[in-house]
Amino acid sequence: MTTESETRETDVVVIGAGPGGYAAAFAAADQGLKAILVDAGEQPGGVCLNRGCIPSKALLHVARLINETREAGEWGVSFTKPKIDIDTLRRWKNEVIDKNASGIRQLAKSRKVELIRAWARFENSQTLILSGPEGDSADLGRIRFKRCVLAAGSRPATIPAFKIDSPRVMDSTGALELQSIPKSLLVVGGGYIGLEMGTVYAALGSEVTVVEMTDGLLPGADRDLVRVLEARLKSTFKSIHLQAKVVKMADTGDAVEVTFEPAAEGLKNPPPATQKFDRVLVSVGRTPNSQGYGLENTKVKVGPRGFVEVDNRLQTADEHIYAIGDVIGEPMLAHKASYEAKVVADVLAGKKTVLDSRAIPAIVFTDPEIAWTGITESQAKQAGRPVKVSKFPWGASGRATAMARNDGLTKVIADPETHRVLGVGIVGVGAGELIAEATLAIEMAASAHDVGLTIHPHPTLSETVGEAAEQAFGTTIHLAPPKR
Ligand code: FAD
């Protein structure tokens, strides 16, 4: 990355080289615009590559492998208990990151996009001041731009009471550093990041306890899907406490002592009043990065939750500044950021493009995975929208049986009159790969008939999508016919 001090002039400057930012800079360059990409991080790739999607999936891959070797004993293939060399595992995870980061650098070079390592701040609506990253105040010059795309992302949310300055208390970034494998780990928060990291540490040998304030894991996902995951997590995690909260944490030198409080009477599995854990992972959501950017020197508006406000062409209240990715709102997902990047590049190139996606898939990479796209059944219920829901349990899938993973369910949520597919939800091994077809079906306005009549290869788990769609008409071969 370049660091010399000067004032550069450019058509487009992008702040943040995450999946939103680098995609926006590359797509703008592909449309003939001069683009500069600024990121304060050591490597491009943002949270997703350096401390999010990619390292967590590398570790989840290892977790799945460990779990499969355990299960194989039941099929007559026994492995000895895995020996985990944490230094090698950490090195491998870091190599995965480095390889991808170097790919992004190459792609930037091939497009003549200048990549600058610096902290960027708005001096006014058309100038950025660059300083050294990580609090280093070195003057790295200015950038005068015609348009800027703010893709500054988000960071882990914190709760003041949990800030106890203990190396035993970590956020997702700390958990991905893989410093050690604690004997016991408390995960505070039953959202996707906590459950994914819990899955990794449980496979590596930690006794994992999850505490979640609401009455279910993964708020936002349909309950019938979550139930399947919860059934398995009950055997891989030591304990799951729902409707319970952490009220205090204290580092006692050899552990963290956690004080719990039940949030309701008569809980099925209430937490003890206090319990000691070797480590605690706090994963209670994410906060947009919109503070400390000099936005007050521009016309950009920030909403009450800290998200930068944009219109359907991703333009902020300042005509020179656009924003994409986590910093503009939910769902905070890499592919949403990249989609917005393509739209904003079109807008910057003068095209009449607007945001108009019909479905943004979401995946929880636990074991089994949960994935959904389009409308969920609970969203339809909340909105009072009538829908027809048809389900295909994986107990009836030949491929799932061959993998000894019948713990799955695929469901299609369709319009009861037109049969148009509005949403699909899947829980099961590889659900994340299967959801892509469903997203395309929604984007292409396919009906459940279209999906059911599509020939799905046998024997694959993708057949469950076709069969769930056919079940909307009671014509699924592998389920008993509906009673007439
Ligand atoms: P980010 O990736 O957050 O990148 C923002 C960049 O901006 C950073 O590199 C930062 O250094 C830089 N920056 C910020 N301010 C400045 C400044 N002033 N000057 C210069 N640079 C600046 N999403 C998925 O879709 N799938 C997953 O499996 C998934 N797993 C995740 C797992 C974990 C543990 C975490 C934490 C997140 C995960 N996410 C996942 C979410 C995903 O990482 C984010 O949605 C995605 O990274 C957002 O992209 P972005 O481009 O908006 O910003």
Side-chain angles (χ1 to χ4, degrees), residues 319-370:
E319 62 175 325
H320 301 288
I321 304 170
Y322 295 73
I324 58 170
D326 282 9
V327 77
I328 65 166
E330 306 276 2
M332 293 201 212
L333 293 170
H335 43 275
K336 188 211 71 149
S338 311
Y339 164 73
E340 289 165 350
K342 287 183 222 157
V343 173
V344 85
D346 272 5
V347 171
L348 297 178
K351 294 187 180 160
K352 290 185 177 163
T353 310
V354 294
L355 289 176
D356 71 344
S357 68
R358 290 190 176 141
I360 302 174
I363 305 167
V364 184
F365 291 86
T366 39
D367 182 16
E369 294 175 355
I370 296 188

Side-chain angles (χ1 to χ4, degrees), residues 118-278:
W119 178 261
R121 209 174 162 273
F122 289 94
E123 184 170 49
N124 56 47
S125 292
Q126 287 196 277
T127 315
L128 287 181
I129 304 174
L130 305 186
S131 55
E134 290 160 22
D136 163 6
S137 59
D139 173 11
L140 298 180
R142 282 175 165 68
I143 300 178
R144 290 269 311 153
F145 59 84
K146 289 187 186 142
R147 263 88 51 88
C148 172
V149 179
L150 179 63
S154 64
R155 61 185 185 284
T158 50
I159 293 179
F162 297 171
K163 276 192 159 180
I164 60 164
D165 196 23
S166 161
R168 293 180 180 276
V169 179
M170 359 175 240
D171 57 18
S172 58
T173 306
L176 284 167
E177 276 165 17
L178 214 63
Q179 280 165 5
S180 64
I181 302 167
K183 192 165 174 312
S184 58
L185 172 72
L186 172 69
V187 176
V188 184
Y192 85 94
I193 293 177
L195 296 187
E196 287 185 6
M197 291 317 300
T199 301
V200 167
Y201 276 94
L204 294 177
S206 299
E207 284 178 351
V208 175
T209 298
V210 176
V211 58
E212 161 60 42
M213 226 165 69
T214 67
D215 62 359
L217 299 174
L218 298 171
D222 278 343
R223 293 302 93 187
D224 51 354
L225 304 179
V226 175
R227 266 195 297 277
V228 177
L229 169 65
E230 222 174 294
R232 192 168 170 99
L233 289 184
K234 276 184 184 151
S235 65
T236 46
F237 289 178
K238 184 159 181 270
S239 205
I240 300 173
H241 304 297
L242 299 175
Q243 290 183 283
K245 54 184 182 182
V246 171
V247 288
K248 198 176 145 205
M249 287 196 284
D251 191 329
T252 56
D254 61 341
V256 183
E257 189 174 70
V258 180
T259 309
F260 296 99
E261 210 174 78
E265 297 281 306
L267 296 180
K268 260 198 224 148
N269 184 25
T274 60
Q275 193 175 345
K276 282 188 168 183
F277 296 91
D278 286 337

Side-chain angles (χ1 to χ4, degrees), residues 30 61 99 152 175 234 283 336 402 408 423 436:
D30 289 347
H61 175 66
K99 195 170 172 192
K234 276 184 184 151
S283 57
K336 188 211 71 149

Side-chain angles (χ1 to χ4, degrees), residues 16 20 39-40 46-48 52-53 57 118 120 153 192 286 293 326 332-334:
D39 196 297
V47 168
C48 181
C53 329
K57 267 79 252 180
Y192 85 94
R286 296 189 60 83
Y293 288 80
D326 282 9
M332 293 201 212
L333 293 170

